[in-house]
Amino acid sequence: MAGEPARAAPRAGSTTGASSTSTVEGALAALPGPRTEESGFELLWQQVVAEIGRARSIDLICHICPDGDALGSSLAAGLALRALGKQVRVSFGDDPQIVPESLAFLPGQELIVPAAEVPDVPELVLCFDVAAESRLGLLHDKAFAAPVLAVFDHHASNPGFGTHQLIDPTAPATAVLVDELLRRLGVELDQELATCLYTGVATDTGSFKYRATTPATHELAARLLATGIRHDLISRQLWDTSSFGYLKVLAGALDRAVYEPEAADGLGLVWTWVPYQDLALFSVTVEEIEGLIDILRRPAEAEVALVLKQDPDGTLRGSSRSKGVVDVAAACAELGGGGHVYAAGFSVREDVAAVVERFRSALRPVR
């Protein structure tokens, strides 16, 4: 990731050094495919690209407590739009606004501004990886005040908010949709863009091991690697680096782990929780323990795993995983959250026992 970015060969329809609205409109005019109502998704793409071409100022937002796909997608789009001469702000609706240490390497973070600096009525908002309105946090009202709110997402649970919904549940990551956006804008890949996109794809595919990974996913990864990015360093930062305090918090969480063999119609549930006191004692952030769910989901006896992480105000953030038989998105939806069939989450203000009971009661095998 260090040194002069190496640029990949331009793809079909791409341009070099584009920096004007006319270039964006030209890319729109050159798009292949149908121009009729027969392809609603294609028309949505054309409309969004046209709106981007007309806009001078663009605000890019992602969900609160951003992960690699949310922040990587937003920063990749922001860097591309800045290269096209747009005034760009990237933000997410947390206060305080904290970029997880595991994502500190992502380029383009100079584009990030506090939610308060996003205009009350933005000219154009592009929203990335936000499965539900509640995940907009402090930016909810500002996002909906914009005359155009284009939503890029891959969560099947997304209800379809905003004025334009570019939602593809078959995509393994929102970064895949951003790659398509860059193609349509005529922006070629460089190392900075590739680093952001690779982070998004790698995190949401579990380093390419989740079921949503397809041959096309690996083809995208190959194009990103061809720019010269250090995927080994990216992976080390994402999954293999932590503080010593994290190990102490992990030990406590595993000691609290509960296995319920009768849950989920006998398929089994393993769950644990992390009190805020543990995080404070060992100076560990909630973001730093996001990977705990991937450890808890390992036992062969349980189909479903659940981790509850407590914020200072008592809010419990739930992260859940299924191995392929139970729809955890549906279960999380009953607690006000959402996500994917096999990976979903929620946030609630209740005690641990009540939350686990509600979650357990909502678990159903996929029919």
Side-chain angles (χ1 to χ4, degrees):
M1 292 180 288
E4 186 66 23
R7 292 188 174 271
R11 286 169 282 173
S14 70
T15 60
T16 304
S19 61
S20 68
T21 300
S22 61
T23 301
V24 178
E25 292 174 343
L28 172 63
L31 288 178
R35 307 267 175 182
T36 69
E37 294 297 335
E38 296 175 1
S39 179
F41 204 60
E42 175 61 28
L43 284 174
L44 277 173
W45 270 115
Q46 294 176 25
Q47 291 166 4
V48 170
V49 172
E51 293 290 352
I52 291 173
R54 285 189 285 267
R56 298 178 62 183
S57 175
I58 303 176
D59 287 275
L60 302 94
I61 63 176
C62 60
H63 62 69
I64 55 176
C65 306
D67 57 10
D69 192 25
L71 195 59
S73 295
S74 301
L75 291 174
L79 288 167
L81 292 172
R82 184 174 66 178
L84 293 173
K86 303 296 182 180
Q87 178 184 339
V88 176
R89 285 175 294 264
V90 175
S91 190
F92 49 96
D94 287 306
D95 184 21
Q97 195 182 66
I98 300 172
V99 173
E101 187 64 29
S102 62
L103 301 177
F105 67 92
L106 285 176
Q109 295 192 42
E110 67 277 6
L111 298 175
I112 299 176
V113 302
E117 292 186 18
V118 174
D120 290 339
V121 183
E123 181 182 356
L124 168 63
V125 172
L126 305 182
C127 179
F128 299 95
D129 205 46
V130 179
E133 293 180 31
S134 61
R135 299 285 284 163
L136 291 168
L138 298 175
L139 288 171
H140 179 277
D141 292 348
K142 293 183 176 184
F144 278 87
V148 178
L149 170 58
V151 176
F152 295 79
D153 192 26
H154 70 127
H155 294 92
S157 63
N158 193 307
F161 63 91
T163 61
H164 298 73
Q165 302 91 31
L166 288 166
I167 302 169
D168 182 3
T170 68
T174 297
V176 172
L177 292 166
V178 177
D179 176 66
E180 176 65 12
L181 176 64
L182 302 192
R183 183 189 73 81
R184 290 170 178 265
L185 293 175
V187 177
E188 63 182 272
L189 291 174
D190 60 19
Q191 284 190 340
E192 289 193 334
L193 294 172
T195 295
C196 292
L197 294 178
Y198 186 89
T199 298
V201 175
T203 51
D204 261 32
T205 60
S207 194
F208 305 94
K209 66 185 179 185
Y210 293 163
R211 186 174 180 178
T213 304
T214 66
T217 312
H218 286 290
E219 290 170 359
L220 170 57
R223 286 196 288 108
L224 299 175
L225 293 178
T227 65
I229 61 173
R230 288 288 303 275
H231 64 285
D232 56 329
L233 298 183
I234 293 173
S235 296
R236 184 186 307 167
Q237 186 69 22
L238 290 174
W239 293 291
D240 299 330
T241 302
S242 71
S243 66
F244 179 74
Y246 167 78
L247 298 181
K248 304 297 284 186
V249 172
L250 174 63
L254 294 180
D255 189 54
R256 283 186 214 96
V258 176
Y259 169 51
E260 300 185 5
E262 301 305 317
D265 286 358
L267 295 171
L269 164 68
V270 59
W271 67 271
T272 191
W273 76 292
V274 180
Y276 175 71
Q277 288 83 353
D278 278 16
L279 300 175
L281 178 62
F282 297 108
S283 300
V284 173
T285 66
V286 170
E287 291 74 24
E288 192 174 350
I289 62 170
E290 284 300 313
L292 173 57
I293 185 64
D294 294 314
I295 297 174
L296 202 70
R297 68 193 295 267
R298 293 181 182 179
E301 298 91 339
E303 165 68 19
V304 179
L306 171 68
V307 174
L308 299 174
K309 298 151 289 187
Q310 189 180 50
D311 284 338
D313 66 357
T315 297
L316 292 174
R317 305 188 197 183
S319 296
S320 64
R321 297 290 186 271
S322 165
K323 293 177 180 175
V325 181
V326 173
D327 182 356
V328 291
C332 289
E334 295 197 21
L335 286 96
H340 307 287
V341 173
Y342 310 121
F346 57 86
S347 295
V348 292
R349 289 288 299 273
E350 296 180 35
D351 65 75
V352 172
V355 173
V356 174
E357 173 59 30
R358 289 180 61 195
F359 180 80
R360 183 193 304 115
S361 300
L363 293 175
R364 302 284 185 276
V366 178
R367 303 300 182 186

